[in-house]
Amino acid sequence: MKNIRNFCIIAHIDHGKSTLADRLLSQTGTVTAREEQAQLLDNMDLERERGITIKSHAIQMDYIYEGEKYVLNLIDTPGHVDFSYEVSRSIAACEGALLIVDAAQSIQAQTISNLYLALENDLEIIPVLNKVDLPGANPEEVTDDIVDLLGCDPEEVIHASGKTGFGVDNILKAIIERVPAPKGDVNAPLQALIFDSVYNSYRGVETYFRVMNGEIKKGQRIKFMATKNEYFADEVGTLKLKQVPKQSIKAGDVGYLITGVKTASEIKVGDTITDAVNPTKNRIEGFEDVKPMVFAGIYPVDTEDYEELRNSMEKLQLNDASLVFIPESSAALGFGFRCGFLGMLHLEIIQERLEREFDMTVITTVPNVSYHAFTNKNPDTILLVNNPSDLPEPSKLNRVEEPFIKATIITKSDFVGPVMSLCIEKRGQIVNQTYLTPERVELTFEMPLAEIVFDFYDRLKTVSKGYASFDYHPIGLKASKLVKVDILLNGQSVDALSALIHADNAYSIGKKMCEKLRQLIPRQQFDIPIQAAIGAKIISRETVKALRKDVTAKCYGGDISRKRKLLEKQKKGKKRMRQVGNVEIPQEAFMAVLKLND
Ligand SMILES: Nc1nc2c(ncn2[C@@H]2O[C@H](COP(=O)(O)OP(=O)(O)OP(=O)(O)O)[C@@H](O)[C@H]2O)c(=O)[nH]1
């Protein structure tokens, strides 16, 4: 156990974790030159295309240092705020962390939030100044920022470049010399932490774990303490580029487990694995059921595809335990599902995977957060509202509570004004303002989650010309003056377009919604009145004027292929169109409330 080192790589998004991880793998010979391919650890196609790490991965390296053989267990981590729980569990499985800071961008919001997570778990921090090859690198200035943040000596900051390989040997040396060897009692009852799981369509769920005490053996009957499910350990082993089956994995080490489980939701990240016959008395702390933060309706474009959509969602859930959904019906869209996601990125990934892996074209309704409503009749009973159309009528409503977050924003002092204005526009209240350096400011706000899940990050980047980073965590629910704004098309309420809006913004947003929908809903053979309403009160109105003639009329006698092309274009446009009553509504219309500022 004394020659094992368990460490993770943490940083702000895009600061170079995955590239550096690939370098460590090649430098230790874990990956032969032939196997090496960029972003080796980001093995989901979507991760490659979007250039971000979605799922964290573990891999074991053997390394000879000063004549001794060491086992280095590396855990890469997702960099996006949607996956912060998974980061926290990967960190809890380690004794040390490489804190990567981009030598041009310096410290950003997630550098700090991930650092706090590592410090909470008493990890030894090894600061790495990465991308020193960049023309825009500021090694001296950024080293000072790191020294200010960590209180370490400048000499402890390792200068490196994942791209060129510079400094990687120093990183490996520091891992062995500075990260403490794991502790644990191999003779105590088995206690292993699940920090990740991956679905394999042939072998079922592969569980990644760190053994804190005892050992896990092939064929052993084990128990997952949160779900209380028992299984046989059909296979255990260590994670090289490929899986390497072993007879047992002992305290201090990291490995994988195959139990034949076919449903990802039965394996919960953060859970404790123990022996079914002689279980440990103590679950490993920090387990929590992953809670969805954002909800949206997902409906088939063609109502007869409902069953096919259900099958596709069930298959997706097999390998994405954080996706939750329940059947729901909409007067406007028919039968679909109310789905819960970790955040907007997760929602987009699911939409993308439905289209790419299951060829399912879907309509997604306006994403919303989960609200707690209380009626006059039962003022102390929580009515969970995951769909705005479930909000009781205003006359029956006692109050509505919405989830709030604490947002941390780091930006340049030049942009403090515009950033503050944006946060105040999003109903934020400033909590703290700290000058990290004369040039860089950390702003802390309390804000409604609903105000940041849609376009806040993009607008923050715009107002700060890219010089702002952002991280947040939930701080509970607070009462808010929220009202349900309904949209009526042709006099018929479209429940999938309803949204919960703060009373102060309801009129302006209702007006903008009508204007935006007038632009998006194609003209048809008749006038289409668009109205926004709160209860029975109409607050805004627009009209889509009728189409006066057949779009192909001008092709008579003209080039027949041009007419065919025009009709083809019309047909393609219909692919993402939903008929609601006698009005055709494009997908963009359902996201209109998100793009009111476009
Ligand atoms: N010049 C230079 N570019 C680098 C270096 N390391 C990474 N990059 C580039 O920076 C971008 C992000 O690199 P990644 O390794 O994907 O960063 P990451 O932190 O893993 O990103 P997430 O997993 O999405 O958080 C990519 O375009 C890399 O090619 C480096 O040392 N020098």
Side-chain angles (χ1 to χ4, degrees):
M1 198 183 302
K2 74 174 181 54
N3 281 20
I4 292 177
R5 297 291 183 271
N6 301 309
F7 69 102
C8 54
I9 301 182
I10 57 176
H12 187 71
I13 192 164
D14 263 357
H15 277 200
K17 293 186 297 298
S18 306
T19 304
L20 195 60
D22 290 348
R23 274 285 168 193
L24 292 172
L25 298 179
S26 54
Q27 203 87 352
T28 53
T30 310
V31 177
T32 62
R34 184 173 54 78
E35 288 158 329
E36 188 159 2
Q37 61 189 83
Q39 304 291 314
L40 190 74
L41 286 176
D42 291 351
N43 54 18
M44 269 173 73
D45 291 346
L46 258 177
E47 286 180 343
R48 290 169 190 278
E49 278 175 33
R50 297 177 75 102
I52 57 166
T53 305
I54 298 166
K55 293 285 292 174
S56 57
H57 300 274
I59 198 161
Q60 190 171 86
M61 299 174 277
D62 296 327
Y63 188 61
I64 307 291
Y65 177 68
E66 293 184 348
E68 276 203 64
K69 184 179 174 220
Y70 287 85
V71 172
L72 311 182
N73 289 312
L74 158 63
I75 296 172
D76 194 8
T77 53
H80 193 277
V81 69
D82 276 11
F83 307 102
S84 53
Y85 178 66
E86 201 166 80
V87 173
S88 77
R89 295 305 84 208
S90 302
I91 286 171
C94 301
E95 278 77 38
L98 298 183
L99 184 71
I100 312 292
V101 179
D102 182 316
Q105 283 199 17
S106 190
I107 289 160
Q108 299 294 329
Q110 279 172 26
T111 315
I112 293 180
S113 56
N114 287 331
L115 171 65
Y116 288 163
L117 275 175
L119 293 174
E120 275 167 24
N121 286 276
D122 300 322
L123 263 58
E124 174 66 28
I125 306 297
I126 299 176
V128 176
L129 183 68
N130 194 30
K131 304 195 185 183
V132 292
D133 62 295
L134 277 174
N138 260 320
E140 295 72 27
E141 185 183 306
V142 177
T143 298
D144 290 346
D145 293 345
I146 295 171
V147 168
D148 289 348
L149 177 69
L150 292 179
C152 64
D153 295 330
E155 300 73 46
E156 293 179 68
V157 180
I158 300 173
H159 291 208
S161 162
K163 187 168 188 176
T164 65
F166 170 75
V168 172
D169 284 332
N170 293 338
I171 292 174
L172 289 164
K173 181 170 179 286
I175 289 168
I176 289 166
E177 291 179 348
R178 296 192 219 170
V179 175
K183 296 184 179 60
D185 175 0
V186 72
N187 300 313
L190 172 62
Q191 191 193 46
L193 168 67
I194 299 175
F195 61 80
D196 194 9
S197 68
V198 177
Y199 179 76
N200 178 312
S201 44
Y202 303 102
R203 314 184 68 195
V205 184
E206 297 165 355
T207 303
Y208 293 172
F209 61 83
R210 154 70 197 276
V211 183
M212 297 302 190
N213 288 296
E215 69 176 309
I216 183 168
K217 298 176 190 144
K218 178 177 167 59
Q220 182 179 353
R221 185 146 187 80
I222 56 169
K223 179 178 181 179
F224 291 161
M225 296 181 80
T227 58
K228 299 185 178 27
N229 295 331
E230 295 189 8
Y231 304 95
F232 281 105
D234 298 337
E235 183 179 322
V236 297
T238 52
L239 297 147
K240 300 282 190 189
L241 201 62
K242 298 273 184 278
Q243 292 166 347
V244 180
K246 302 272 185 183
Q247 283 309 312
S248 83
I249 307 286
K250 291 183 171 56
D253 209 348
V254 168
Y256 73 88
L257 164 70
I258 306 275
T259 57
V261 166
K262 292 288 185 199
T263 310
S265 53
E266 285 183 46
I267 311 281
K268 293 188 180 298
V269 171
D271 196 359
T272 302
I273 306 171
T274 191
D275 183 84
V277 177
N278 173 25
T280 178
K281 290 181 180 54
N282 314 310
R283 276 172 54 170
I284 296 164
E285 286 170 23
F287 174 74
E288 57 184 57
D289 260 323
V290 177
K291 291 182 286 299
M293 302 278 270
V294 172
F295 294 82
I298 288 191
Y299 289 80
V301 171
D302 302 321
T303 46
E304 62 268 17
D305 291 348
Y306 174 76
E307 280 311 318
E308 192 182 338
L309 175 58
R310 177 205 290 279
N311 295 334
S312 307
M313 297 286 285
E314 285 167 352
K315 285 187 187 124
L316 263 186
Q317 191 175 49
L318 280 177
N319 72 20
D320 182 348
S322 49
L323 169 65
V324 293
F325 61 90
I326 54 170
E328 88 167 352
S329 66
S330 146
L333 301 173
F335 291 102
F337 297 94
R338 174 63 38 178
C339 306
F341 307 94
L342 298 177
M344 285 304 283
L345 173 69
H346 188 208
L347 184 159
E348 288 162 22
I349 290 165
I350 295 297
Q351 264 183 311
E352 191 74 26
R353 293 187 65 190
L354 280 170
E355 301 229 0
R356 184 181 304 210
E357 297 172 28
F358 303 96
D359 194 27
M360 280 299 309
T361 304
V362 294
I363 290 279
T364 307
T365 65
V366 182
N368 56 269
V369 297
S370 182
Y371 298 94
H372 287 181
F374 301 84
T375 59
N376 295 320
K377 198 172 162 200
N378 301 300
D380 300 321
T381 307
I382 293 177
L383 181 63
L384 198 57
V385 176
N386 290 342
N387 183 339
S389 49
D390 295 342
L391 190 75
E393 281 309 308
S395 58
K396 298 189 185 107
L397 212 47
N398 178 280
R399 67 185 188 287
V400 186
E401 293 180 355
E402 64 174 323
F404 271 69
I405 51 108
K406 180 166 277 188
T408 305
I409 296 165
I410 292 184
T411 186
K412 283 190 163 183
S413 43
D414 300 354
F415 300 110
V416 167
V419 169
M420 295 268 263
S421 307
L422 173 63
C423 293
I424 291 163
E425 178 199 325
K426 295 287 189 178
R427 295 193 284 136
Q429 286 174 349
I430 185 119
V431 170
N432 194 17
Q433 176 174 342
T434 309
Y435 276 79
L436 301 173
T437 69
E439 276 305 298
R440 297 161 54 70
V441 189
E442 181 187 58
L443 300 170
T444 309
F445 277 86
E446 287 190 359
M447 304 172 76
L449 174 64
E451 297 288 355
I452 63 119
V453 289
F454 306 140
D455 64 348
F456 176 78
Y457 187 62
D458 295 343
R459 291 189 61 199
L460 177 68
K461 284 295 186 189
T462 305
V463 301
S464 66
K465 295 182 176 38
Y467 285 102
S469 63
F470 167 61
D471 195 35
Y472 68 86
H473 61 271
I475 54 172
L477 289 93
K478 292 181 189 174
S480 276
K481 288 192 312 175
L482 296 167
V483 292
K484 181 160 66 102
V485 175
D486 293 315
I487 296 293
L488 290 80
L489 296 183
N490 235 1
Q492 181 190 349
S493 173
V494 180
D495 55 3
L497 290 172
S498 295
L500 288 196
I501 310 282
H502 193 272
D504 298 350
N505 305 330
Y507 278 71
S508 61
I509 287 184
K511 185 172 184 328
K512 283 182 181 176
M513 277 282 284
C514 291
E515 287 164 0
K516 177 64 87 174
L517 290 170
R518 183 175 54 75
Q519 295 161 21
L520 293 172
I521 293 177
R523 294 171 65 184
Q524 287 154 52
Q525 305 303 324
F526 44 83
D527 280 3
I528 304 170
I530 302 172
Q531 296 163 304
I534 298 174
K537 186 168 190 293
I538 302 296
I539 59 173
S540 181
R541 177 193 167 105
E542 292 287 340
T543 304
V544 178
K545 287 295 177 200
L547 202 59
R548 287 288 165 251
K549 60 185 178 13
D550 170 1
V551 290
T552 62
K554 53 178 169 292
C555 297
Y556 282 125
D559 166 11
I560 191 71
S561 65
R562 199 164 135 256
K563 175 172 177 180
R564 188 181 302 119
K565 259 190 229 132
L566 200 59
L567 289 174
E568 270 307 310
K569 191 173 148 226
Q570 239 188 5
K571 197 165 69 180
K572 207 156 68 176
K574 286 187 186 302
K575 191 166 159 52
R576 297 288 290 259
M577 198 79 80
R578 271 308 298 259
Q579 184 83 25
V580 176
N582 54 359
V583 177
E584 288 191 326
I585 304 181
Q587 164 68 59
E588 298 76 11
F590 292 100
M591 299 306 229
V593 78
L594 310 184
K595 300 188 168 28
L596 294 178
N597 293 301
D598 290 3

